[in-house]
Amino acid sequence: MSAPIMPSVLLSRAAATVALVTAALAGTLVAPGLAQQASANPVSIRALKIAASKQGSPYRWGATGPYSFDCSGLTSYAFRKAGRRLPRTAAAQYYRTRHVSASARRPGDLVFFHHGGYVYHVGVYAGHNRIWHAPRTGTRVRLERIWTRHVWYGRVR
């Protein structure tokens, strides 16, 4: 026969469970898939966190931060602050990255939106089919679902 479990032990287990769940969920606000992607590049994860920290910054065409951004301005700013230099435009960033498949994408990878062979937008992959990006004039940096299948992924080396 096993020993009876004391109420204080049950309370301790419940408190530990709440603490673990809270810690796991806190990471999902920045990068919804971050908890399960321990193998992601540390530079890319830092860039992802930097991009997320710019939430609410206004979009301004040609802006590269630190207070306003366009799409490629946000990605180049985030990676520069994380220790990697990227070219200025979305298309040039695409050609500077190592291309990866959708099934191999990880938080911190770049997501390139394209029409045919023309890259017109970029954001930082946050996991669970979401990106941090500066969408367009009149909007602010935000976390948003990827809205099309016409995307390519690139990993900053």
Side-chain angles (χ1 to χ4, degrees), residues 17-152:
T17 302
V18 167
L20 289 172
V21 169
T22 302
L25 290 177
T28 65
L29 296 176
V30 170
L34 194 55
Q36 65 223 29
Q37 298 291 337
S39 64
N41 178 349
V43 170
S44 295
I45 296 304
R46 279 196 309 271
L48 169 61
K49 290 177 180 180
I50 292 164
S53 77
K54 294 303 177 178
Q55 180 177 11
S57 298
Y59 178 97
R60 192 180 82 203
W61 187 83
T64 58
Y67 305 111
S68 58
F69 302 90
D70 69 4
C71 67
S72 57
L74 176 65
T75 55
S76 64
Y77 176 87
F79 275 91
R80 183 175 63 251
K81 290 294 185 182
R84 294 287 190 281
R85 292 223 177 255
L86 288 177
R88 176 62 189 92
T89 67
Q93 289 177 9
Y94 176 72
Y95 291 110
R96 180 68 65 82
T97 60
R98 183 169 65 90
H99 305 156
V100 295
S101 66
S103 62
R105 68 189 176 182
R106 297 189 302 222
D109 287 343
L110 294 179
V111 181
F112 298 95
F113 294 75
H114 66 91
H115 180 73
Y118 173 72
V119 173
Y120 65 88
H121 188 63
V122 64
V124 181
Y125 187 64
H128 295 288
N129 208 40
R130 293 174 164 241
I131 60 168
W132 282 103
H133 70 137
R136 64 190 163 281
T137 302
T139 64
R140 296 181 175 275
V141 172
R142 64 185 180 211
L143 181 65
E144 190 168 25
R145 291 192 63 74
I146 297 171
W147 58 90
T148 179
R149 294 181 317 190
H150 300 284
V151 295
W152 293 321

